[in-house]
């Protein structure tokens, strides 16, 4: 053999070169809040995406309480408008609506943005609006955030106490119509009863874009072993979340993040695990202290993983996966292959 042995750094670089898919990022909301500025995507986000070699990002439309109910639809439309306007001024990005478009963007070296929605408040109770948002490019929808809406109720940030109600009739109609249109139904945040309902009325693989195992953080916003297995039986994928890995700050580490990956993989196989970082520190940092306290009181105190707080940190995760003994093909499945399979099958 003449080939020289690959160094640890070379191995990280090689695995990293495949690109990283993150299925949950609160980008549209931030672009909307900064709508008076230009080139926000290019100056504030592109450098971190490039350092992290992020290949596809699920960017979630989310409406904050202060805009509801009256402005929900309008703010959602404005978030999409900001996204298009920002992408137009930065040719490194492409908004993608199908697997084929994602592939094309990657062939051209662009970062693919997949528009998702977290909470269907913008629809009110109007099923027609799903069609409108579909035409605007929305390709994955989680029915709720933590609050209740016309479709269903979110899981609480506590071990018990979520509503026992499943989906409303409107929620069920939405789910069926999503499956018919080719919009991925995302199980993130939904309460346990709603979770069961969605699985019972659908047949395609289901995803949970950003969540964690209750084994390490026991809140109903995360998912139980039984729920993990249900997603596995459907050949779905679970994106592991970086801001809810532990209720304790000192346990919020990359190792605990990987514990969630390992735990889910042990239950349903490595092909059921992906990434849904939910990086949120950049928004949290912009808030006044009063608002940060409000978040802690309403949901939970977020604990950011120091060396995994934004997209530029992707290599830190790869390095630690290698050190923990994951094989190359397993790391590639986690980083991009599993989500790519979902896109190929559902979009
Ligand atoms: Zn979320």
């Amino acid at each position: 053999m003449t080939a020289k042995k690959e160094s640890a750094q070379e191995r990280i670089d090689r695995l990293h070169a495949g690109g990283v898919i993150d299925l949950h990022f609160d980008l549209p909301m931030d672009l909307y809040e900064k709508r008076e500025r230009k080139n926000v995507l290019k100056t504030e986000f592109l450098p971190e995406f490039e350092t992290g070699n992020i290949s596809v990002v699920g960017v979630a439309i989310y409406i904050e309480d202060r805009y509801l109910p009256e402005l929900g639809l309008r703010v959602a439309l404005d978030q999409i408008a900001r996204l298009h306007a920002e992408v137009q001024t930065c040719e490194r990005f492409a908004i993608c609506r199908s697997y084929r478009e994602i592939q094309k963007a990657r062939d051209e070296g662009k970062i693919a943005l997949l528009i998702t929605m977290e909470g269907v408040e913008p629809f009110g109770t109007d099923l027609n609006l799903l069609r409108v948002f579909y035409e605007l490019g929305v390709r994955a929808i989680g029915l709720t955030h933590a609050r209740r809406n016309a479709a269903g109720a979110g899981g609480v940030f506590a071990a018990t106490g979520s509503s026992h109600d499943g989906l409303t009739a409107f929620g069920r109609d939405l789910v069926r119509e999503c499956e018919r249109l080719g919009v991925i139904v995302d199980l993130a945040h939904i309460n346990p009863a709603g979770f069961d309902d969605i699985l019972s009325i659908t047949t395609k693989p289901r995803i949970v874009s950003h969540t964690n195992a209750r084994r390490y953080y026991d809140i109903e916003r995360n998912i139980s072993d039984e729920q993990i297995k249900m997603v596995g039986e459907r050949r779905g994928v679970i994106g592991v979340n970086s801001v809810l890995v532990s209720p304790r700050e000192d346990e919020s580490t990359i190792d605990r993040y990987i514990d969630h990956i390992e735990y889910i993989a042990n239950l349903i196989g490595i092909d059921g695990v992906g990434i849904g970082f939910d990086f949120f520190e950049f928004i949290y940092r912009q808030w006044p202290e009063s608002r940060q306290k409000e978040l802690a009181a309403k949901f939970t105190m977020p604990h950011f993983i120091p060396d995994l707080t934004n997209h530029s940190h992707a290599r830190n995760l790869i390095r630690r996966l290698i050190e923990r003994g994951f094989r190359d093909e397993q790391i590639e499945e986690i980083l991009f292959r599993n989500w790519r399979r979902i896109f190929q099958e559902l979009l």
Side-chain angles (χ1 to χ4, degrees):
M1 286 289 282
T2 51
K4 74 175 180 39
K5 197 177 178 315
E6 188 181 42
S7 72
Q9 192 54 49
E10 284 165 346
R11 187 173 168 206
I12 294 169
D13 290 345
R14 176 171 51 79
L15 290 167
H16 190 229
V20 176
I21 301 181
D22 172 14
L23 222 66
H24 189 84
F25 190 46
D26 284 313
L27 178 67
M29 175 168 106
D30 196 58
L31 294 180
Y32 174 71
E33 295 304 327
K34 294 172 181 165
R35 59 195 175 278
E36 304 302 330
R37 290 190 225 162
K38 285 202 172 75
N39 295 321
V40 177
L41 193 53
K42 193 180 202 162
T43 57
E44 295 189 22
F45 295 97
L46 181 59
E48 290 176 356
F49 285 150
E50 283 186 327
T51 305
N53 195 23
I54 305 303
S55 57
V56 186
V57 195
V59 292
I61 297 165
Y62 172 73
I63 310 297
E64 293 184 76
D65 289 351
R66 61 200 160 112
Y67 297 120
L68 293 173
E70 290 82 6
L71 291 173
L73 175 58
R74 180 161 165 175
V75 173
L77 293 171
D78 279 358
Q79 289 183 4
I80 295 178
R82 288 316 308 154
L83 199 61
H84 279 276
E86 287 281 334
V87 167
Q88 199 169 31
T89 61
C90 184
E91 78 281 4
R92 288 283 287 113
F93 292 92
I95 295 171
C96 297
R97 299 157 183 249
S98 64
Y99 178 65
R100 190 195 297 244
E101 286 184 5
I102 292 170
Q103 291 290 83
K104 182 169 174 281
R106 294 309 299 153
D107 290 345
E108 293 170 355
K110 294 184 178 190
I111 298 163
L113 301 180
L114 187 74
I115 305 178
T116 68
M117 184 181 266
E118 182 171 41
V120 294
E121 282 83 358
F123 301 164
T125 56
D126 187 350
L127 190 61
N128 274 320
L129 292 178
L130 170 60
R131 182 64 194 228
V132 174
F133 280 84
Y134 173 81
E135 297 298 341
L136 293 175
V138 173
R139 287 296 181 273
I141 291 181
L143 294 186
T144 70
H145 188 252
R147 56 196 173 213
R148 179 188 283 276
N149 62 28
V156 295
F157 285 70
T160 56
S162 296
S163 164
H164 293 293
D165 299 338
L167 302 189
T168 62
F170 174 63
R172 287 195 296 275
D173 287 345
L174 268 180
V175 167
R176 289 192 193 99
E177 186 64 3
C178 281
E179 229 185 17
R180 195 189 68 78
L181 279 173
V183 174
I184 299 171
V185 180
D186 179 0
L187 294 162
H189 283 285
I190 194 79
N191 64 335
F195 187 103
D196 291 346
D197 279 355
I198 293 171
L199 283 175
S200 72
I201 59 174
T202 58
T203 55
K204 291 179 181 171
R206 288 281 71 92
I207 71 159
V208 196
S209 63
H210 61 301
T211 195
N212 290 97
R214 288 182 67 174
R215 161 70 179 80
Y216 293 112
Y217 196 165
D218 188 17
I219 51 177
E220 287 185 328
R221 181 256 173 270
N222 284 334
I223 55 174
S224 66
D225 292 5
E226 196 184 55
Q227 289 177 312
I228 293 169
K229 286 178 194 161
M230 287 161 85
V231 174
E233 280 160 21
R234 215 34 107 68
R235 297 178 51 255
V237 176
I238 295 165
V240 177
N241 183 324
S242 72
V243 297
L244 288 173
V245 297
S246 170
R248 291 176 48 162
E249 188 171 11
D250 62 339
E251 287 178 355
S252 296
T253 61
I254 287 196
D255 268 316
R256 183 43 51 89
Y257 185 87
I258 295 172
D259 290 339
H260 285 273
I261 291 177
E262 215 162 52
Y263 188 75
I264 294 167
N266 284 338
L267 285 174
I268 61 173
I270 198 86
D271 53 357
V273 194
I275 285 168
F277 284 128
D278 197 9
F279 289 136
F280 183 65
E281 199 202 24
F282 72 102
I283 289 176
Y284 189 76
R285 256 191 281 119
Q286 296 168 31
W287 287 354
E289 206 188 318
S290 58
R291 191 128 178 246
Q292 295 179 351
K293 281 187 177 152
E294 197 186 309
L295 177 94
K298 220 160 100 187
F299 303 127
T300 183
M301 185 71 194
H303 297 306
F304 304 112
I305 298 172
D307 41 359
L308 193 63
T309 46
N310 65 63
H311 289 103
S312 75
H313 290 157
R315 275 167 201 270
N316 296 339
L317 174 61
I318 299 171
R319 177 179 295 110
R320 196 69 194 131
L321 284 167
I322 291 172
E323 289 166 358
R324 293 267 297 251
F326 285 79
R327 297 192 310 273
D328 287 358
E329 57 275 22
Q330 293 176 316
I331 294 173
E332 288 184 352
E333 285 203 61
I334 297 162
L335 296 181
F336 61 88
R337 286 196 198 285
N338 294 333
W339 283 136
R340 207 158 69 186
R341 167 175 64 80
I342 290 291
F343 300 152
Q344 194 168 11
E345 283 184 38
L346 300 181
L347 293 180

